[in-house]
């Protein structure tokens, strides 16, 4: 086994620091705990000044920083209160939703379509979270799950009116009817 392929738990001998155990590995460095000095030192994986006393094979493939960043990004998106970026249909960009009361003495309300669209997407994301919570709830039986799922499906169906705002069909709401 090459000195640059050691896993956590491998024992090495260093000419200055003595015997040590690898406690952490990244793509270019080992962090090694040396018991003689009770210190953790960082050494390049390609350093040729130590000897291998006991080699341990890594338990898993080496992760790159990009792998870690992608995993964190995906975890944040999955647990975030922010909705994912869903594009608004181009013809609606910069548009305004105007709500006119029947009583002309009352003031109308104007909402930028981007704001309205964001709120619709947030409702969809919260319904998805609710759906996941229902599916994973330990105290609900299958009959209760199906009943609650039907309510959620009907909510999606009620929101299909707003599908004209979505740029892509796959982002639209789908109820229990036709796709």
């Amino acid at each position: 086994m090459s000195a640059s392929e050691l896993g956590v738990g491998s024992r090495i001998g260093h000419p200055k620091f003595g015997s040590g155990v690898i406690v952490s590995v990244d793509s270019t460095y080992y962090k090694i705990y040396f018991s003689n000095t009770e210190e953790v030192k960082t050494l390049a994986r390609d350093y040729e000044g130590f000897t291998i006393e006991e080699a341990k094979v890594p338990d898993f493939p080496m992760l790159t920083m990009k792998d870690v960043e992608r995993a964190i990004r995906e975890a944040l998106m999955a647990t975030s209160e922010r909705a994912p970026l869903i594009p608004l249909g181009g013809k609606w960009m910069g548009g305004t939703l105007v709500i006119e009361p029947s009583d002309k003495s009352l003031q109308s309300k104007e909402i930028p379509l981007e704001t309205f669209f964001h709120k619709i997407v947030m409702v969809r994301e919260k319904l998805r979270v609710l759906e996941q919570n229902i599916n994973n709830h330990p105290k609900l039986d299958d009959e209760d799950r199906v009943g609650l799922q039907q309510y959620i499906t009907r909510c999606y169906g009620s929101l299909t009116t707003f599908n004209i705002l979505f740029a892509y069909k796959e982002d639209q709401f789908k109820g229990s009817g036709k796709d």
Side-chain angles (χ1 to χ4, degrees):
M1 168 175 280
S2 164
S4 65
E5 299 172 345
L6 298 173
V8 172
S10 296
R11 295 190 169 282
I12 60 106
H14 189 277
K16 181 177 179 183
F17 305 116
S19 185
V21 176
I22 296 175
V23 294
S24 174
V25 179
D26 69 20
S27 60
T28 50
Y29 295 102
Y30 292 129
K31 288 196 185 270
I32 304 166
Y33 172 74
F34 292 99
S35 56
N36 292 349
T37 59
E38 295 186 356
E39 291 181 287
V40 175
K41 301 283 186 184
T42 303
L43 295 176
R45 289 177 59 161
D46 59 2
Y47 175 69
E48 295 178 5
F50 60 81
T51 57
I52 301 171
E53 295 174 354
E54 180 185 347
K56 298 275 185 174
V57 179
D59 294 337
F60 48 86
M62 182 57 58
L63 294 175
T64 65
M65 189 53 99
K66 286 195 182 290
D67 294 331
V68 174
E69 288 171 356
R70 183 175 48 250
I72 291 171
R73 191 177 311 108
E74 288 173 7
L76 287 173
M77 288 302 286
T79 60
S80 175
E81 285 295 316
R82 294 185 0 226
L85 297 175
I86 305 292
L88 176 63
K91 64 183 176 182
W92 306 109
M93 295 299 288
T96 305
L97 174 68
V98 180
I99 303 172
E100 295 279 345
S102 63
D103 183 349
K104 297 299 177 191
S105 66
L106 298 174
Q107 190 175 15
S108 62
K109 175 77 174 172
E110 290 188 16
I111 304 167
L113 268 175
E114 285 88 352
T115 302
F116 181 71
F117 182 71
H118 176 73
K119 291 181 185 292
I120 295 294
V121 170
M122 288 299 295
V123 167
R124 182 182 69 180
E125 294 309 308
K126 294 200 183 307
L127 281 171
R128 287 181 177 170
V129 170
L130 177 61
E131 198 169 18
Q132 289 172 349
N133 288 340
I134 288 169
N135 287 333
N136 296 323
H137 198 283
K139 293 183 181 176
L140 292 175
D141 61 23
D142 288 342
E143 186 178 336
D144 291 333
R145 281 190 182 93
V146 169
L148 292 169
Q149 286 288 348
Q150 288 175 345
Y151 281 110
I152 290 173
T153 301
R154 282 183 240 146
C155 289
Y156 283 134
S158 298
L159 292 167
T160 58
T161 301
F162 303 110
N163 282 347
I164 60 168
L165 298 173
F166 290 88
Y168 302 109
K169 187 171 177 67
E170 62 267 13
D171 292 328
Q172 295 179 348
F173 294 102
K174 292 170 188 60
S176 58
K178 295 182 231 172
D179 286 325

